[in-house]
Amino acid sequence: MHHPSPARRRTASAAALLTSLAVLGTGCTGGVEGVPGAAGARDPYFPKLGNGGYDVTHYALSLDVDPDAGRLRGTARITARADQDLSAFRLDLAGLDVESATVEGRPAAVNRAGRELTLRPDAGVEDRLREGATFTATVRYSGSPQTLTDADGSEEGWLRTADGSVALGEPVGSMAWFPGNHHPSDKAAYDVRVTVPEGLTAVSNGELVDRRTVDGRTAFRWRTAEPMASYLATVAVGRFRTAESVTPDGIRVLSAVDPESAKGSKAVLDRIPAVLRWAARKFGPYPFRSAGAIVERRGDSAYALETQNRPLFPGPPDTGLLVHELAHQWFGNSVTPATWQDMWLNEGFATYAEWLWAAEHDGVPVRESFEEAYADDANWAFPPADPPSAADISEPPVYGRGAMVIHRVRLAVDDDAAFFALVAGWTKAHRHGNASTDDFVAYVEEETGRDLTALWDSWLYGGSRPPEG
């Protein structure tokens, strides 16, 4: 993520689980053996976000969007693997009315409590809900998707735009438009079919595999084969101008631009292949099959977001912002944080990518960017690996001080070739997975053979500004 200003602004006890099961209602008799999956993934800042007991492997979403009425009708077919014997499991969903739910094709009892949707499967599907087994749940829903307000006051979820809508998901907004396990630790492949009035375009992640118009409505089918955290999923609906190309490396580039932003965006978007080539030399091979951008008109959203494959921009971006969001395809999208406390790994690396680009293309040495960040008091409000609250995970220390941590590692390695080999090794080791701050610390020390305790204590976790030298 990148903002127009630096500051944007497990399981429960057995008794508790039985109590939770008791309130699921009496619409289903018999049920299946096991215990319900936990409510929440116990994230340090969003403890109720995500769910336990299963791991999603694939989402098949079918969305029918009426932009004028601000309504959506959806079907979510969720394929998952049980991590325990399940009698019930939960999905995150904000707003929207659930019309029906099935598990393995059989009706499931549905209980709704705020943003927590609980499905209790009928008897007859026990084998599919045993630990290690794969099952499929289908939820049909409709309504007016919500715009959610974050703890820091920014808006996400389903945002109305001048000519349509756009879905932004960091950190919890994806629950506003489809039910799922909405914690970054549960990544999955996606197939998204979006039907809109003819004349509008629906853009999502991955590759466009089909486009078909029938009776005045056009269906766009998008496929994301590589694992994706749900906060990186998007759907943008509007009167976009689209452009497609293929890089020499075979990466399919598709960008969709609001006509009002087209002229101001073209020169920067034309640099996407060059930025990807440059970044691959620094960070390792590009981790996805496709790339691109979505550019809305100014005012349609308040910030840029690294939505997978094609980041979203709130108006024409400059090159630095493009570099930042494309760097996230490695840091955040392919190597995804284990929890939201690890967000500095996303933003610190993406900010450092800006510094590297500026050094090579704008004549601004990395040392100068470091000194500017070091002198900024806002970067010292708290340690980047320990934000005080959910409202602080997008604040300056996560970005600027996070980048300073990366640079201090580079100085400790004291060999640029070894440093960039270290970074490329990190993106390879956790490609399409999740990683925590502890994982990063352990990886750096193992690969370098050095005890960097003083560096971590001062720059990553320290409460005060350490000496610069």
Side-chain angles (χ1 to χ4, degrees), residues 86-135:
L86 288 169
S87 63
F89 60 92
R90 296 170 168 88
L91 300 167
D92 303 312
L93 183 66
L96 300 172
D97 300 317
V98 176
E99 299 173 354
S100 66
T102 62
V103 176
E104 288 297 298
R106 298 174 67 97
V110 178
N111 175 255
R112 190 73 177 270
R115 296 178 175 180
E116 202 74 22
L117 183 68
T118 306
L119 274 59
R120 183 183 183 185
D122 197 359
V125 299
E126 292 93 338
D127 289 346
R128 307 311 305 163
L129 295 173
R130 300 297 186 192
E131 182 178 357
T134 297
F135 65 92

Side-chain angles (χ1 to χ4, degrees), residues 1-2 5-7 324 343-355 366 369-385 392-408 459-460:
M1 182 183 295
H2 197 285
S5 61
H324 183 104
M343 188 168 164
W344 80 272
L345 285 167
N346 298 11
E347 302 301 348
F349 268 111
T351 302
Y352 197 65
E354 290 185 74
W355 294 3
V366 171
S369 296
F370 176 91
E371 290 173 347
E372 182 179 347
Y374 182 87
D376 187 348
D377 291 342
N379 286 326
W380 302 99
F382 56 82
D392 299 298
I393 64 171
S394 290
E395 290 297 306
V398 175
Y399 294 71
R401 189 169 167 188
M404 281 188 272
V405 172
I406 304 303
H407 189 62
R408 297 300 301 192
W459 296 90
L460 186 57

Side-chain angles (χ1 to χ4, degrees), residues 205-293:
N205 312 87
E207 293 78 54
L208 180 64
V209 295
D210 188 49
R211 171 178 175 168
R212 192 168 302 179
T213 300
V214 177
D215 296 332
R217 294 185 67 78
T218 304
F220 296 81
R221 289 181 54 220
W222 295 86
R223 177 167 297 155
T224 305
E226 299 92 352
M228 177 169 68
S230 66
Y231 81 90
L232 299 168
T234 190
V235 168
V237 175
R239 299 188 180 278
F240 294 109
R241 295 180 185 174
T242 60
E244 300 181 58
S245 63
V246 180
T247 73
D249 298 327
I251 301 166
R252 297 168 61 181
V253 180
L254 186 149
S255 294
V257 184
D258 185 285
E260 289 196 5
S261 296
K263 183 177 180 180
S265 299
K266 186 179 185 308
V268 172
L269 297 186
D270 285 348
R271 304 188 77 174
I272 288 176
V275 174
L276 293 178
R277 287 194 303 272
W278 171 85
R281 292 195 299 270
K282 301 293 184 185
F283 312 136
Y286 182 68
F288 303 110
R289 304 178 192 186
S290 62

Side-chain angles (χ1 to χ4, degrees), residues 30 37 45 73 98-99 105 137 173 185 194 212 262 265 269 297 329 356 362 378 387 429 433 443:
Y45 299 106
R73 181 175 295 276
V98 176
E99 299 173 354
S185 60
V194 189
R212 192 168 302 179
S265 299
L269 297 186
R297 68 182 68 184
Q329 306 306 307
L356 294 172
D362 302 322
Y443 168 82

